Amino acid sequence: MDIIISNNADKPIYEQITSQIKAMIMSEELKAGESLPSMRSLAKSLHVSVITVQKAYEDLQRDGFIETAIGRGSFVSAQNKEFYQEEQQRIAEEHLQIAADIGRANNIPLSKLQEILTLFYMEDE
Amino acid sequence: MDIIISNNADKPIYEQITSQIKAMIMSEELKAGESLPSMRSLAKSLHVSVITVQKAYEDLQRDGFIETAIGRGSFVSAQNKEFYQEEQQRIAEEHLQIAADIGRANNIPLSKLQEILTLFYMEDE
Amino acid sequence: MDIIISNNADKPIYEQITSQIKAMIMSEELKAGESLPSMRSLAKSLHVSVITVQKAYEDLQRDGFIETAIGRGSFVSAQNKEFYQEEQQRIAEEHLQIAADIGRANNIPLSKLQEILTLFYMEDE
Amino acid sequence: MDIIISNNADKPIYEQITSQIKAMIMSEELKAGESLPSMRSLAKSLHVSVITVQKAYEDLQRDGFIETAIGRGSFVSAQNKEFYQEEQQRIAEEHLQIAADIGRANNIPLSKLQEILTLFYMEDE
DNA sequence: GTGGTCTAGACCACC
DNA sequence: GTGGTCTAGACCACG
């Protein structure tokens, strides 16, 4: 389970966990039906409290990414990918909206914004 | 002082105040040398705690937008606009970066992002 | 032994086992004196832990549905059906109580509840 | 805040809190815009951990019953009552379904179920 | 072993 | 003062 935790990030730890697991599920690095590490083992390997992992798993379950069963562990759900991707697109649009607003308010030409966006999109990460 | 406070916003109240005052200064609705309302009167008119306004004024002073003199009130500084605009551009870039990352991770084509960005940029409001 | 286990059910596995065996006994699909499958073989065929079957058998024995003899296996008891049916009626009453409470609290008319109940009762399943 | 906590109930404490607050909101004992007790004060008065109350408030917020703001407290939302009542009716139907199934399986006549249901519905309390 | 609930503390950002 | 996050424990039901 390759999850990277940063204590300095602005995001809470449990959210760092959920977003990375969501990404693994969407990229099918984790496939439907596969089991996730137990809360305790993941907490240990991330050097994090069990409760923090529990909160992450709880959120993932509520959002339909995983299913958990007492005594048996947690498993990747058969996933409804469309919902997740629509949500992601909505989030991307929000950020574009903010960037556009700032740009307009500060006389940054649209062409410059487009250029920057293209640059970031092309980056190999 | 036309400042609008939203209790449901995700931004803290003091930040809603600073960003709106910054915008007024940049648009020269508030000109260099003009005095700002006293903390107490602004707090009263916004139905907000004095401490909250104090934090907002503190931040504005730290960023060089205003100067505060004990017993005399707060005044708009002679402003170097470049700094502000560079900061704004940096913020816009951050949002474009996030949008680009999400788009790439979810197979949203660059052209679609460009299209959405243009749409938002052209919007009135 | 036709027992169906669902991992997604809200009921624990051992309870799924007990309730289905109870039903078989009450319907005389399993008759008094007949032997039940051994814990190990049932666990194997259900793809379930032996401990889970053990707990199910324990509960059945406690409730007087079966008798377990060390080294010889488990057998259906001569059953007094009244007790079971009274228990079942008590459970049914609990559910009716909850439905009535919710209905009253939310202004669902009694006639509507009656109608729904009748509908479900008439269903061929 | 008249909330009754039972440590022997089968429901977890945080759920006892949420369900009672939901009921108060739906009955307009708590009206939209009113503030709820702070997590700490409620925890103290219920002799319960702060975290337990926090979990309750978190769930209420996620279900749209209340809004919470850091530093300001928690408030009753303008409520979409229809959704809640539909949900409650769905729950009532589930219980009627179970009662009907048990009744049919144990030869309890429909008329008897109807009678019990009516009795419970008429009860004061 | 697993997850679910709860406690008693702590530190942080915000008002 | 408020809520948000996190820790290090504990006990329970389930497998």
Side-chain angles (χ1 to χ4, degrees), chain B residues 79-104:
Chain B
Q79 203 38 44
N80 88 352
K81 296 203 176 188
E82 290 82 31
F83 176 72
Y84 176 76
Q85 291 189 341
E86 276 167 23
E87 184 187 306
Q88 290 299 98
Q89 179 168 337
R90 196 179 42 68
I91 294 171
E93 283 182 15
E94 276 174 19
H95 288 284
L96 291 175
Q97 172 83 70
I98 295 170
D101 287 348
I102 295 174
R104 198 153 19 96

Side-chain angles (χ1 to χ4, degrees), chain A residues 95 104 108 114 118 121, chain B residues 95 97 104 108 114 118 121:
Chain A
H95 288 283
R104 200 154 16 97
I108 306 174
Q114 298 282 25
T118 306
Y121 194 90
Chain B
H95 288 284
Q97 172 83 70
R104 198 153 19 96
I108 304 174
Q114 302 276 25
T118 305
Y121 194 89

